[in-house]
């Protein structure tokens, strides 16, 4: 059984970002995947302190809720990094967690992550043009590959201020379900 972990970086637990991630994960769950969802804003996750203890120890020395996230990522087949676009980027809540992923990078630019982990970067944004920030999410995705994640895809919903702005977008919702199938390891149509 595949395991999919959602890291929701929106301050709105049931906002547009959560709704987008839900469409993806529901499809994955329907295909048998186990889904676990984390609302980062409600967790105790400190910023990286740059102490580099992880370089020596292979793990972060901070005793906070990131410990659970490390374990979940290590055991997941797919990770959904979900965020609203804030100031042209991912939210601070998600960025704080992403900064904390450094322990997975091992000496000599190797990784402690098991190979083949799939990443979905799922973003919602107020601006309707979904190409506006795509280059930024490609940059984020490539950084995650450098950390040792196996592959990534990007899913962006534009023009979202409230739920209806998402649920009206039938093409986008179908793309989201495709992503769910990809995470659950179904053949990905047209790719
Ligand atoms: C502080 C703040 C900054 C934002 N910055 C952007 C932005 O740079 N570009 C954009 O298209 N939308 C921006 N938005 C709109 C949100 O990305 C959008 O409404 C998103 O779908 C909200 O998701 P949520 O319901 O999960 O909070 C911003 C919203 C807020 C509150």
């Amino acid at each position: 059984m595949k395991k999919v972990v959602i890291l929701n970086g929106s301050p709105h637990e049931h906002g547009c970002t959560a709704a987008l991630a839900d469409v993806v994960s529901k499809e994955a769950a329907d295909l048998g995947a186990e889904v676990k969802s984390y609302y980062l804003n409600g967790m105790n996750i400190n910023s990286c302190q740059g102490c580099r203890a992880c370089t020596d120890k292979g793990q972060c020395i901070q005793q906070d809720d990131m410990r659970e996230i490390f374990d979940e990522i290590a055991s997941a087949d797919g990770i959904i990094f979900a965020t609203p676009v804030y100031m042209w980027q991912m939210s601070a809540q998600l960025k704080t967690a992403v900064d904390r992923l450094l322990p997975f990078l091992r000496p000599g630019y190797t990784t402690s992550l098991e190979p083949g982990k799939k990443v979905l970067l799922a973003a919602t944004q107020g601006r309707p043009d979904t190409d506006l920030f795509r280059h930024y999410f490609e940059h984020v995705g490539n950084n995650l590959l450098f950390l040792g994640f196996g592959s990534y895809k990007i899913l962006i919903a534009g023009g979202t201020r409230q739920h209806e702005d998402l649920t009206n977008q039938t093409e986008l919702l179908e793309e989201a379900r495709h992503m769910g199938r990809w995470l659950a390891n179904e053949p990905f149509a047209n790719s």
Side-chain angles (χ1 to χ4, degrees), residues 10 12 15-17 84-88 124-127 133 160-161:
S10 173
H12 302 122
C16 299
T17 307
V85 172
Y86 271 11
M87 306 303 284
W88 307 275
T124 67
Q125 60 182 56
R127 299 284 297 275
F133 313 112
T160 52
R161 305 265 175 207

Side-chain angles (χ1 to χ4, degrees), residues 54-92:
C54 62
T55 306
D56 300 327
K57 298 178 187 299
Q59 60 183 35
C60 185
I61 57 170
Q62 294 200 59
Q63 304 283 337
D64 64 6
D65 290 343
M66 200 59 199
R67 304 205 134 223
E68 188 174 350
I69 302 290
F70 287 133
D71 290 344
E72 292 288 8
I73 290 176
S75 63
D77 301 287
I79 301 98
I80 303 175
F81 292 88
T83 184
V85 172
Y86 271 11
M87 306 303 284
W88 307 275
Q89 301 169 63
M90 71 175 82
S91 69

